[in-house]
Amino acid sequence: MLSVILRFLRNWALPLAMLAGAAGYPVFIHLSFLTPWLIFTMLLLTFCKVPFRDLHFRTVHLWLLLVQIGGAILVYLSLRPFNIFAAEGAFICVIAPTATAAAVITDKLGGSAASLTSYTLLGNIGTAIAAPLLFPLIHPLGEHIGFFASFLIILKKVFPLLICPFVTAMIIRRYLPKLHAKMIGYHEAAFYLWAVALIVVMAQTVNTLINEPEDGMTEIWIALAAMVVCCLQFFIGKRIGARYQERISGGQSLGQKNTILAIWMAHVYMTPISAIGAGSYVVWQNIINSWQLWKQRKNEEAGRATQKET
């Protein structure tokens, strides 16, 4: 009975977490302070189970990183004349690094999980460096806070959050093998931490929707901008990956984002309403992933049917 309940919760974790966060936002909004710790722990558990010998940086990863950073700037500059909030929301959706769960989807689709994991680390490094440089230019922290001071403030928060989990995982693997073995055994906990984090950030998003003094069209434009950049990132990632025989991992590397981190960054360093972009990106990327998995299953079923006939 317990296994059935756990399987149900796992299969429906995304809609249940979103529903819980939306319905209970007056309560869960008070847990927002936990978000950075949840992100750190999820990344730590993810990197602990990654064999470092499988991490290899290739030319395709550099192209993907160029699109992640350069594309974020281009999207913001393109949308800013039309709607500043949509521009900020789209920017966050592009500059955010790859989701920790992307390797699972990539493996199910028949792609290279090792290649995607390598890019996940590189994307985190790229975001950790680019975010402190770009955020003060897009949304200054205050009238009396200069660029360099803003850069240091953001760097102090973002860089440890994205890089320290990897460094900590390396230290634990090298010097604390018994602890490392235990942490590998608990790697499934990252999934449940993700569900808790999703509840919290959805509560933040709903709270913003209700309390921000913006008209409904602004929210619609932000969500539409997120949909467009989501589709573009999957498409461009696949096109780049195809040139290096990594079409699937390329698409997932650019398209499947760490939306928990994106929503947190939007709330802390951007206009809070821009977090709606990352919040809606959760829906768009999961629609695309669901379609890809359905198509993969259909192809596998067709392949098995052909084998039986022959």
Side-chain angles (χ1 to χ4, degrees):
M1 184 64 180
L2 180 60
S3 61
V4 174
I5 295 174
L6 290 175
R7 185 165 60 251
F8 172 82
L9 291 174
R10 189 175 182 86
N11 292 338
W12 293 92
L14 174 67
L16 288 174
M18 294 178 69
L19 182 61
Y25 82 91
V27 175
F28 295 121
I29 191 68
H30 298 294
L31 299 179
S32 300
F33 70 95
L34 291 175
T35 305
W37 297 100
L38 291 169
I39 294 170
F40 181 94
T41 307
M42 285 187 289
L43 287 172
L44 176 61
L45 291 172
T46 299
F47 287 132
C48 274
K49 69 176 182 178
V50 174
F52 294 144
R53 63 180 178 274
D54 292 342
L55 296 177
H56 301 289
F57 300 116
R58 304 182 178 90
T59 304
V60 62
H61 299 142
L62 297 178
W63 283 110
L64 293 172
L65 184 63
L66 178 63
V67 173
Q68 178 183 328
I69 306 302
I73 298 171
L74 181 61
V75 162
Y76 174 77
L77 294 176
S78 300
L79 293 178
R80 182 179 178 180
F82 302 99
N83 190 299
I84 183 65
F85 303 119
E88 289 185 3
F91 170 85
I92 285 289
C93 291
V94 179
I95 203 170
T98 308
T100 56
V104 177
I105 302 296
T106 300
D107 188 56
K108 289 182 178 180
L109 293 174
S112 173
S115 177
L116 184 135
T117 303
S118 298
Y119 182 72
T120 299
L121 175 59
L122 186 62
N124 279 344
I125 295 172
T127 301
I129 296 172
L133 289 171
L134 297 175
F135 283 179
L137 298 175
I138 292 174
H139 194 85
L141 295 183
E143 293 182 5
H144 304 294
I145 302 178
F147 171 80
F148 187 68
S150 298
F151 167 76
L152 291 178
I153 291 172
I154 299 174
L155 182 70
K156 188 170 67 174
K157 290 187 177 181
V158 174
F159 196 87
L161 184 64
L162 296 181
I163 305 305
C164 285
F166 177 73
V167 176
T168 304
M170 289 181 62
I171 294 172
I172 292 174
R173 179 185 289 269
R174 177 68 178 84
Y175 298 105
L176 300 169
K178 291 184 178 180
L179 176 60
H180 178 257
K182 287 184 178 181
M183 293 186 71
I184 290 178
Y186 287 110
H187 75 272
E188 285 290 327
F191 174 81
Y192 299 102
L193 291 174
W194 168 83
V196 173
L198 185 57
I199 291 173
V200 175
V201 296
M202 284 306 299
Q204 289 179 295
T205 303
V206 172
N207 183 69
T208 300
L209 276 170
I210 293 174
N211 295 309
E212 282 293 318
E214 294 296 334
D215 60 278
M217 282 305 300
T218 297
E219 285 84 350
I220 292 173
W221 282 118
I222 295 172
L224 288 175
M227 180 186 69
V228 171
V229 297
C230 180
C231 295
L232 282 174
Q233 287 186 106
F234 274 101
F235 174 75
I236 294 172
K238 287 185 177 183
R239 290 296 297 270
I240 293 174
R243 298 191 59 166
Y244 298 90
Q245 290 74 53
E246 293 189 14
R247 182 175 181 274
I248 294 173
S249 59
Q252 297 305 125
S253 293
L254 273 188
Q256 192 169 348
K257 295 293 188 176
N258 188 337
T259 49
I260 306 296
L261 175 68
I263 293 173
W264 176 77
M265 289 192 299
H267 273 283
V268 176
Y269 301 116
M270 293 287 177
T271 310
I273 196 172
S274 65
I276 294 171
S280 62
Y281 199 98
V282 177
V283 178
W284 306 134
Q285 74 175 8
N286 279 281
I287 289 174
I288 292 175
N289 281 335
S290 297
W291 176 78
Q292 289 182 129
L293 290 169
W294 173 82
K295 188 177 179 181
Q296 178 74 6
R297 286 195 297 270
K298 294 291 288 185
N299 291 338
E300 290 175 353
E301 290 171 1
R304 287 195 292 268
T306 301
Q307 288 180 348
K308 288 181 180 180
E309 291 176 1
T310 56

